[in-house]
Amino acid sequence: MNTLHRRKFLQLGLLSSAIFVMQGCELKGITTMRSTIELLQRDLFEKSHTLNIKTTHYFYNSVLGHSRISQEEKKFLKNGVSWLNEAAQEQYKLLYVKLPRHHREHVLQTISQSQWGEEWLSKMLGYILEATLSDPIYLGNTNENGWKWLEFQGGVPHPKEPYL
Amino acid sequence: MIYDICIIGSGAGGSPVAYELANAGYKVVVLEKGNYYTEEDFSKDEVAVCRRELYTPPLHEQKHIINEYSASGKYTRYDGEESGWNFWNGSMVGGSSNLMSGYFHRMKPNDFELRSVYGEIKGANVVDWPISYEELEPYYEKVERIIGVSGKVKEHTYQEPRSTPDFPYPALKTSKVTKWFDAACEELDIEFFETPRAILSQNALNRDACYYSNFCGSYGCSSGAKGSARAALLQKCDAKIITDAFVYRLEAKEGRVTKAYYYTKNRIKHSINAKIFVLAAQAIETSRLLLNSSSKEFPHGLANSNKEVGKNLIFSAGGAGSGRFIFEKLTPEAQKELMEPGVFFNRSLQNEYDYDDGCRKYKGGTIDFLFEHQNVISRATQEIYNEEGNLIWGEELQKKIHKRLTSSRVLTFEIFNDWLPTDNCNVNVDANVKDIYGVPVGVINVNSHPHDLAVGEHLAQSAVEILEQMGAVEIEYSISSSPPPNLVAGGCRFGDDPRSSVLDKNCKAHELDNLYVTDASFMPTGGSVPYTWTIYANAFRVADVIKKEIESSFKDTN
């Protein structure tokens, strides 16, 4: 396995939703994209979780599954999950999901100083806020809890179906 | 079948012609690239409308090439798809008028004589219009009645002459915060007035009144109150509307357009025959279509023997600014007034529609004040950076979003001044880059004149003073040379001289007997106001010309 090209590993990871974390040609760990995203979203914006908003489901359904988000953007979002784990591996020799809270925070602080990291985290935050504050028809914003939190009334009429 | 009139584009430029001619009994067909949405289809879905661009084509299918010129004359090329620079507006029946905010201002008499009144400006191709304000005034008034304009006329220095004393519909409901604004203006001795809006304040014209949804600009109107070309005109006549019809070529023989060719999304080709053709695809696409319609008889494109098609593209210059009102500085009653949802702000300044710097008189402009858009995802997402410009998340971000959105509100202002026409601001087509239909895409050359920025900067000062007087914090503004894609005009100037204009004073192509252009392409200069009212008014004017033309040709035939 060590002889496989790094890019090939990444492609395999994207297809299977598994993340193969490499250091050079050496495989350092395997995790799933979903578990990394779930934990990352809680680290970035715990409030959505406490409001019972399914941000990860929204991310898969209304972001990665959306016809108007470019393939390039989707690839960047997925690659970012791999790069986050690589950064965790570099700093603490562990996958992101295996780190304690304060180490995860440190990893986030580190990547936010890089160009890709800042761009990726800002996009992930944007999509968390979309999940939390979009019309409930998109299956985020459960029971309009995001709107209630911000004393926002929402717009009427509501959409009859999601635009995907 | 041969239609009497074929109209390409169903927005504010094409629909008045459809309405007038269809209601006069002529066979009218309207070709529209987008879908037909009605009041029942519109919702306040921020994700679909504002974050996934439901109403515009995907850029990987249809895009523009943009060359942005700097002051030195060099330019940077942007591919619309790669850069995300999007010049599409509302691709739908009624066009972008469905999505407008409906801030309606007439141009002033001096706007029709910009060169004569204010003189030349070096590097700008300023000319007078071939018609006067007095010629357009009856049509401005007609728009008030047929499209439906609400407001209250208040005399001020630059109030344009009117043939009626007031608007046909009473003013819309406004926020109590306007009392603070009015008091500030009085204190500062700055003239202001209530912004006229193309939104019905009461049930009328077989349309329902505004229901103060809190989501107006960028969204389709679910009551029909907004005076979109669809709600006010196309739904009030029996013109045949063909959707999913992208017109890619006009065929002309012996000085007359004979056919419009269009593709459906499945790239099936169709054609329409008509006696008269009206082009109103919005300024950039109108020039593109003419340039893409070259033939042996018209080797440089239709109506382009003088190579003027696409030239002197203009946008609206100016910028935007804002100030924030925070609970800490307000009484409980004022806090309640501030957060009242739904109602409009509707305050405008034209106190410096022209101004003097001691040496000469300059053209100024308009400032509209409005509350920050209620889009909640957008407002929350703006908070992800701290004051030092660093990305924040977790508890710090949650607290910031909650505090900013629940205990403060932003009042914004938008500045409109003339975007001076220049040689480097124009439309062309790209010989190599094609859209999904295989048609050469439009190239938008963007150049702004330095004078535009100076005027915007001058105008912004009054707005800042008012916000300061009102007690706002975080007051800021930005005057930009960025072209607003929804405020675009020019490219097919009208004028009396066929050597230097594309259209005659009635917006008929000099070179063709039966081709009219009725979107904003005809405008040599744009005034210092949003264009929609003027586009509507001029299209009603041209509709009268076409009606007379077609009546006389029918008499000749019979």
Side-chain angles (χ1 to χ4, degrees), chain B residues 41 45 54 82 119 173 200 226 262 273 286 291 348 384 405-406 476 543:
Chain B
D41 300 311
D45 180 349
L54 169 64
E82 290 166 11
K173 286 187 232 168
L200 293 176
K226 194 190 286 186
Y262 67 90
N273 298 297
T286 285
L291 293 169
S348 296
I384 65 173
L405 270 69
T406 60
E476 57 188 16

Side-chain angles (χ1 to χ4, degrees), chain B residues 236-386:
Chain B
K236 310 292 184 219
C237 71
D238 65 355
K240 180 177 173 62
I241 298 165
I242 301 177
T243 56
D244 186 17
F246 166 58
V247 179
Y248 63 94
R249 180 177 168 77
L250 297 176
E251 186 174 87
K253 282 179 190 159
E254 296 166 2
R256 293 184 71 81
V257 178
T258 53
K259 270 185 189 178
Y261 290 93
Y262 67 90
Y263 282 119
T264 65
K265 286 193 181 90
N266 295 325
R267 288 188 243 183
I268 308 291
K269 286 184 187 176
H270 298 268
S271 66
I272 292 283
N273 298 297
K275 293 171 187 163
I276 290 177
F277 287 81
V278 175
L279 181 48
Q282 210 166 45
I284 292 163
E285 292 302 295
T286 285
S287 284
R288 177 191 175 203
L289 176 57
L290 291 172
L291 293 169
N292 277 333
S293 297
S294 60
S295 64
K296 201 172 164 185
E297 195 178 343
F298 297 96
H300 305 297
L302 269 190
N304 195 31
S305 294
N306 60 8
K307 299 189 182 171
E308 285 294 320
V309 169
K311 299 280 174 65
N312 295 306
L313 187 73
I314 52 174
F315 296 88
S316 181
S322 62
R324 184 179 290 272
F325 296 94
I326 55 173
F327 276 18
E328 287 88 334
K329 293 182 73 176
L330 300 172
T331 64
E333 191 188 347
Q335 292 171 6
K336 210 171 156 187
E337 291 177 350
L338 179 68
M339 303 308 266
E340 184 185 11
V343 287
F344 295 101
F345 199 81
N346 283 356
R347 287 292 185 273
S348 296
L349 307 181
Q350 289 183 329
N351 58 317
E352 296 198 283
Y353 206 79
D354 60 24
Y355 64 94
D356 200 317
D357 70 349
C359 298
R360 68 179 275 188
K361 190 160 76 165
Y362 289 106
K363 178 66 194 308
T366 301
I367 305 179
D368 289 332
F369 288 81
L370 58 156
F371 277 124
E372 181 183 37
H373 200 293
Q374 282 299 289
N375 277 339
V376 68
I377 301 169
S378 164
R379 285 188 291 141
T381 307
Q382 283 171 28
E383 304 298 340
I384 65 173
Y385 288 89
N386 63 16

Side-chain angles (χ1 to χ4, degrees), chain A residues 44-47 62 66 68 105 108 118 121 125 130 133-134 138 149-150 152 155-157 159-160 163, chain B residues 40 42-45 47 51-54 56-58 211 215 222 374 385 391-394 398 402 406:
Chain A
L44 291 178
F45 210 78
E46 175 73 15
K47 188 72 192 176
S62 299
H66 204 286
R68 292 299 295 264
E105 177 66 18
L108 295 178
E118 184 190 349
L121 285 173
L125 277 167
E130 269 192 10
L133 299 169
S134 57
Y138 288 95
W149 172 55
L150 294 179
F152 178 72
V156 176
K160 294 172 194 148
Y163 176 57
Chain B
E40 287 71 38
F42 291 128
S43 72
K44 309 305 179 184
D45 180 349
V47 168
R51 304 184 72 81
R52 302 288 187 273
E53 298 167 334
L54 169 64
T56 58
Y211 65 103
F215 288 80
S222 303
Q374 282 299 289
Y385 288 89
L391 198 62
I392 56 172
W393 55 82
Q398 288 163 193
H402 189 263
T406 60

Side-chain angles (χ1 to χ4, degrees), chain B residues 97-156:
Chain B
S97 65
N98 286 292
L99 313 176
M100 68 179 178
S101 300
Y103 289 84
F104 261 34
H105 299 283
R106 300 179 181 202
M107 285 172 57
K108 313 289 181 195
N110 282 355
D111 285 320
F112 293 72
E113 305 178 279
L114 209 58
R115 187 181 167 119
S116 299
V117 174
Y118 300 97
E120 273 188 73
I121 292 180
K122 195 178 173 191
N125 304 325
V126 177
V127 294
D128 291 347
W129 285 34
I131 61 170
S132 65
Y133 173 81
E134 287 69 31
E135 287 170 86
L136 203 55
E137 199 285 333
Y139 297 99
Y140 277 129
E141 191 277 327
K142 186 170 191 170
V143 172
E144 289 183 3
R145 280 182 288 115
I146 294 178
I147 301 297
V149 180
S150 301
K152 177 77 187 158
V153 170
K154 179 185 175 191
E155 281 306 319
H156 60 93

